[in-house]
Amino acid sequence: MTTSNPASGTRHAARAARRAAGPAPAVGPDSTSGESPTRSVPVIAEGLETPAGGRRRRGPSERNRPLWMLIPGGVLMVIVIIVPLLLGIYMSFLDLDQYTLRQWIEAPFIGVANYIEAVSQTNLFHGVWLSVSYSFIATVIAMPIGIAAAVATQNAFKGRALVRSVFLIPYVLPSFVVATVWRTMFQPGSIIDKAFHVFGADPGLFLNGPNTYWTLVFVQIWASWPFIYLLALAGLQAVDHEVHEAAALDGALWWKKLRYVVFPYLRGPISLAFIIGMLNHINNFTLPFVLFGIPAPHDVELLPVLTYVTSFQSFRFGLSAAMAVVSLILIAIPLFIYLRVVKLDDAEQGGRK
Amino acid sequence: MRFGTKASLAAIATAAALALSACGSGSSSSSSSGAVNGAGKTLDVLVGVNTAYPQQQKQWMSDTAAKFQQQTGATLKFETFTSANEELTRIQTSVVSGQGPDVYALGTTFTPTAYSTGAFKVLSDSDWSKIGGKDRFNQAALGISGPDQSHLIGVPFASRPFVMAYNKTLLQAAGIDKPATSWDDLATQAKKLTDPAKGQYGMAIAYKDNFDPWKYIWGMSVQAGNPLVDGKTAKLDDPTVKTAYSTYFGWLTKDKVVNPASVGWTNSQALADFASGKDAYFLMTSSGSIPTLDKSALKDQWDYALMPTVAPGQTSDKAGSNSAASILSGDNLVVANYSKNQDLAFAYINLVTSKDEQLNYQKIFGDLPANADALASLDSAPHMAALTQAAKESKATPFTGAWSDIQLDLLNVVVQSIPDLSSGNVSDSSLNSRISDAQNKAQQSLNRAK
């Protein structure tokens, strides 16, 4: 949040509201002017966990904790997540294909050959680039749509329940159905094609060639904006009634109220929605598979499709495991940076947003 | 692997399942002789869901289970898969874990891949005698049961040979008395039959189908004497392959005998267009289209014919011993090596490949019998002449584990060419580069084949 002048009024409002709401603000009015007011709210536990000195002092709640009670959960974690992950990594070093699958433990160990092939002879980077870029575009466009829908249905009006239910339809429909319906509509000579021709435009093919990328982005947005909408709605519910009241008392109009009072509350849920949305899109296999079929047109040879073809059409399980590991690394790095930057993994997010 | 893909997840989950199930259990086959006594046992059979006849299939399953129980005393349990993908996953899981269905119904093109896993039983002479001997079956249908006559894993169960349907009225109106038997003649006839002003086209072709395109390319190449795979060498860079592609694309770009919208058609859409009477020929169809056509406006005005067997630019069929009127297509039954009920499995196969059962199956689902007697008895049934002939003149795709890859490479050339096709010109240079790309990939797959 910037420190521009119009903000100060609403900041007062927010602060007043917070005072009314409960926990006392520990940060003085003049410090942290660059931070949004809501973010400066310290949760009491935070002070104990991250003292300025750097050396951790164990608070009373951290002493003598029965950590052994975590063992069942820990074991499950290891079995469900770590073991398959390690198996996957191990597989990526094997020459595992249809000929060796039956006794896969005995499949020849070929070191990094799969990785070399994945990097040099497959369309892996092309696939990663397509997956990440399409996911990013779809998520960024879906975001304002979802937020706008959430804000529009925030206040009660007649028929709101109906509108909210209608908004959820694309999210509730199985991916398979969504893709089938859109594939039918995008056929050459089908309804969308004809609509373009009414306006004298010849868009070309939607399900083959360069347009496929944008077809995919479009359908993905259609299918996934309700997810952003849901999380934004949840975020809006968390805005205390008093905050609205206080802002209104200070004379903030709708845009300023939205921009400086409501949006800061949404920051957490939206950052979360962004990352979950991105990952969902990157992992989405059904949509491109049903829309475009196998083999996919070059412009939508996404990562999941590529791995699917390698695994289940060519039966190169070792190679596809190597591809999965490489793409895991490629995607995990920006993800890690993102998580650091938006501090989604901070303890303070756990409490009050 | 959270950020990987579902596919790899599935593969890994499979592997994990194995690790956790402590390598399954050792298999031992029962050693009974004569009539199989399966009282108290259960035979597990995996078959594909028949989406066109779901009710009939349930009925067929319970009827068959009743007969099986009567014969052997054993319970017959059917499991189903809904897609090729699910079938693959089931097979892979079972192959890795060593447990699962006893008998699988496999598509013919998948049989070489299944063979290469080594998870299915190679039938010995005594196994064959349990199911009535090899002579019981249409010999052409055995073409893809194994790499050679002494290593067969697949028992032919149903045939779906490919033929072409034609519109008698349109052909008559154009003064054509017999469907073409060479691809060149077919194009010539199609030109006569095309009248874009009336929305009438010579052929209905499904360019966007996920299977059709490679069958044309394979067929035309084989008919020109190039089986695409020669031992360990891929021959996609042979001129015959390029001719096949050029002919296939040329119907739309040069001859202009197909509806331009067909670049977006799957096989069923092409069928629907043909059924509405707008096309003279509909290629690459099977007996499964009979119900649709008989219910359509074309009722009584259509019939099947063999697809041309003379390659483009050729004067005679060069496919060799068995002319390639169709790819060998249908279902094979295979018995899992790990099965503890192998005798029961053969008893089941014996039951369902008997003449009566095969004819009954044909009546319900339309798939042609693999049983030779049953097939012969159908010759005179309506629309059956061309189908039974095609079943006998089917040729198997190369029996190599690399075939599923090669098939995909062939198809990929068409998929990537569709934008060009739609704009009316597939340039020589881009076609060349796509074919050489396919050749390289096919060769790589063959190099890996063991």
Side-chain angles (χ1 to χ4, degrees):
Chain A
M1 177 168 173
T2 56
T3 51
S4 56
N5 271 338
S8 62
T10 51
R11 201 180 303 154
H12 276 296
R15 216 172 279 133
R18 207 179 310 120
R19 228 168 277 132
V27 184
D30 296 317
S31 66
T32 67
S33 52
E35 274 214 298
S36 80
T38 49
R39 288 209 30 93
S40 61
V41 180
V43 180
I44 291 172
E46 186 198 0
L48 294 169
E49 275 172 12
T50 53
R55 238 190 86 240
R56 280 174 63 89
R57 194 167 48 83
R58 294 170 72 192
S61 65
E62 282 186 49
R63 278 181 220 133
N64 301 324
R65 284 182 300 186
L67 286 175
W68 60 269
M69 291 185 84
L70 290 175
I71 289 174
V75 168
L76 268 179
M77 277 279 277
V78 168
I79 292 176
V80 174
I81 298 177
I82 311 284
V83 168
L85 182 68
L86 291 180
L87 272 176
I89 294 173
Y90 177 61
M91 271 167 72
S92 69
F93 293 111
L94 298 179
D95 183 17
L96 186 62
D97 58 15
Q98 54 183 316
Y99 309 103
T100 51
L101 178 66
R102 195 160 58 102
Q103 266 117 19
W104 73 275
I105 298 275
E106 289 153 36
F109 187 88
I110 51 167
V112 293
N114 279 330
Y115 286 90
I116 295 172
E117 188 176 346
V119 171
S120 62
Q121 286 182 35
T122 66
N123 287 332
L124 180 64
F125 291 115
H126 178 71
V128 170
W129 161 245
L130 283 181
S131 279
V132 172
S133 66
Y134 121 83
S135 305
F136 183 78
I137 296 173
T139 314
V140 165
I141 298 180
M143 201 146 275
I145 303 175
I147 297 172
V151 171
T153 55
Q154 162 72 359
N155 293 326
F157 57 85
K158 211 175 170 203
R160 182 176 70 161
L162 182 71
V163 172
R164 281 186 171 179
S165 322
V166 169
F167 279 177
L168 286 181
I169 289 178
Y171 192 61
V172 174
L173 286 179
S175 226
F176 182 82
V177 176
V178 172
T180 311
V181 168
W182 282 104
R183 188 185 61 189
T184 315
M185 292 201 283
F186 275 120
Q187 292 277 337
S190 190
I191 181 157
I192 294 176
D193 210 23
K194 280 192 181 132
F196 270 97
H197 281 100
V198 166
F199 297 105
D202 182 13
L205 297 172
F206 291 106
L207 300 177
N208 274 94
N211 286 345
T212 46
Y213 184 81
W214 299 108
T215 306
L216 182 65
V217 169
F218 176 82
V219 178
Q220 184 69 71
I221 292 170
W222 187 87
S224 65
W225 70 263
F227 172 70
I228 311 260
Y229 156 76
L230 271 183
L231 282 195
L233 202 59
L236 286 177
Q237 307 283 338
V239 181
D240 297 323
H241 185 63
E242 289 87 346
V243 175
H244 287 290
E245 227 169 53
L249 278 176
D250 276 3
L253 291 178
W254 72 271
W255 169 245
K256 280 183 186 153
K257 196 168 114 188
L258 208 57
R259 170 73 182 79
Y260 298 111
V261 180
V262 174
F263 281 179
Y265 270 88
L266 287 182
R267 192 176 166 275
I270 293 297
S271 330
L272 188 67
F274 179 81
I275 198 66
I276 297 179
M278 274 290 282
L279 293 177
N280 275 343
H281 297 168
I282 289 176
N283 274 338
N284 196 344
F285 168 74
T286 318
L287 203 59
F289 179 74
V290 178
L291 268 177
F292 308 111
I294 297 279
H298 187 66
D299 302 270
V300 281
E301 223 176 8
L302 303 169
L303 200 52
V305 176
L306 202 60
T307 326
Y308 170 82
V309 170
T310 313
S311 281
F312 294 98
Q313 299 279 325
S314 305
F315 310 106
R316 301 284 310 279
F317 301 101
L319 178 61
S320 95
M323 287 163 73
V325 172
V326 171
S327 51
L328 172 70
I329 295 167
L330 284 178
I331 293 166
I333 294 169
L335 178 75
F336 181 76
I337 297 171
Y338 175 86
L339 286 178
R340 295 270 71 170
V341 169
V342 303
K343 299 187 179 150
L344 264 179
D345 53 349
D346 272 10
E348 82 174 284
Q349 294 290 339
R352 210 185 111 142
K353 184 186 68 62
Chain B
M1 219 69 355
R2 270 214 326 279
F3 320 120
T5 68
K6 281 179 188 159
S8 62
L9 255 183
I12 289 156
T14 305
L18 159 74
L20 296 174
S21 69
C23 298
S25 44
S27 70
S28 61
S29 68
S30 62
S31 56
S32 57
S33 57
V36 182
N37 179 11
K41 291 182 185 166
T42 302
L43 186 75
D44 195 343
V45 178
L46 184 74
V47 296
V49 161
N50 191 316
T51 45
Y53 307 98
Q55 288 307 318
Q56 290 88 331
Q57 192 182 27
K58 279 198 189 114
Q59 186 62 42
W60 178 82
M61 284 176 179
S62 65
D63 291 352
T64 309
K67 280 178 207 153
F68 188 67
Q69 180 137 39
Q70 202 181 12
Q71 283 190 0
T72 64
T75 316
L76 185 58
K77 191 179 116 207
F78 282 102
E79 287 184 70
T80 54
F81 57 87
T82 48
S83 65
N85 179 21
E86 198 183 328
E87 178 187 17
L88 276 181
T89 314
R90 269 318 292 273
I91 291 171
Q92 279 155 2
T93 317
S94 308
V95 164
V96 171
S97 64
Q99 50 194 350
D102 300 296
V103 179
Y104 292 76
L106 299 181
T108 40
T109 47
F110 186 61
T111 308
T113 307
Y115 182 86
S116 67
T117 64
F120 299 102
K121 189 162 173 49
V122 176
L123 272 68
S124 64
D125 285 344
S126 73
D127 292 334
W128 278 109
S129 69
K130 286 180 202 160
I131 55 172
K134 283 180 203 169
D135 297 339
R136 189 184 200 180
F137 300 94
N138 168 21
Q139 291 306 297
L142 285 165
I144 198 155
S145 296
D148 57 63
Q149 280 298 306
S150 51
H151 293 88
L152 302 180
I153 58 164
V155 180
F157 171 63
S159 295
R160 275 184 297 275
F162 289 93
V163 289
M164 61 185 182
Y166 63 96
N167 186 323
K168 290 192 216 167
T169 321
L170 292 185
L171 259 68
Q172 222 162 24
I176 297 165
D177 55 347
K178 238 175 59 196
T181 54
S182 77
W183 291 105
D184 290 344
D185 285 349
L186 184 67
T188 318
Q189 288 191 359
K191 275 183 203 162
K192 269 193 229 165
L193 290 158
T194 300
D195 186 356
K198 281 196 282 181
Q200 178 189 320
Y201 291 92
M203 310 179 193
I205 304 287
Y207 284 109
K208 174 83 176 152
D209 196 80
N210 280 344
F211 298 96
D212 274 14
W214 69 261
K215 294 174 187 162
Y216 290 94
I217 308 307
W218 173 85
M220 291 182 196
S221 304
V222 171
Q223 289 159 7
N226 173 13
L228 295 184
V229 176
D230 183 8
K232 284 263 183 187
T233 317
K235 289 173 70 181
L236 273 57
D237 51 358
D238 194 271
T240 49
V241 176
K242 195 176 166 202
T243 313
Y245 277 115
S246 308
T247 310
Y248 181 63
F249 293 142
W251 293 331
L252 179 60
T253 56
K254 293 193 194 79
D255 306 331
K256 302 192 193 303
V257 293
V258 291
N259 190 331
S262 63
V263 293
W265 287 353
T266 59
N267 190 283
S268 53
Q269 287 168 298
L271 170 63
D273 200 69
F274 173 78
S276 68
K278 289 185 211 151
D279 308 276
Y281 284 108
F282 168 46
L283 282 75
M284 215 49 89
T285 187
S286 190
S287 52
S289 57
I290 294 179
T292 311
L293 290 171
D294 271 347
K295 270 182 236 152
S296 74
L298 282 189
K299 191 175 164 46
D300 307 326
Q301 294 171 43
W302 68 277
D303 207 347
Y304 289 132
L306 275 196
M307 275 191 285
T309 51
V310 180
Q314 308 279 342
T315 49
S316 64
D317 180 6
K318 297 196 170 64
S321 59
N322 198 350
S323 71
S326 159
I327 67 157
L328 182 52
S329 170
D331 292 325
N332 282 332
L333 299 175
V334 295
V335 178
N337 266 334
Y338 56 74
S339 167
K340 292 177 201 147
N341 298 317
Q342 296 194 346
D343 286 330
L344 274 181
F346 287 120
Y348 166 77
I349 294 175
N350 188 36
L351 172 67
V352 294
T353 55
S354 66
K355 183 180 173 186
D356 291 346
E357 283 302 309
Q358 289 263 292
L359 284 173
N360 179 40
Y361 192 84
Q362 189 275 333
K363 209 155 66 190
I364 304 173
F365 302 106
D367 290 343
L368 294 197
N371 180 302
D373 287 348
L375 186 65
S377 71
L378 283 174
D379 276 345
S380 52
H383 305 307
M384 280 297 158
L387 284 169
T388 52
Q389 199 189 346
K392 289 173 199 155
E393 292 184 22
S394 293
K395 200 171 175 79
T397 45
F399 198 92
T400 162
W403 180 254
S404 62
D405 251 359
I406 298 175
Q407 189 179 312
L408 207 63
D409 298 332
L410 288 172
L411 182 58
N412 193 41
V413 172
V414 176
V415 170
Q416 308 304 344
S417 297
I418 281 186
D420 299 347
L421 193 59
S422 164
S423 68
N425 180 31
V426 183
S427 77
D428 225 32
S429 58
S430 51
L431 182 57
N432 279 340
S433 81
R434 281 172 198 140
I435 291 178
S436 83
D437 191 37
Q439 160 72 15
N440 291 340
K441 286 193 194 152
Q443 187 58 54
Q444 274 179 20
S445 313
L446 278 170
N447 290 344
R448 302 183 51 81
K450 288 169 188 122

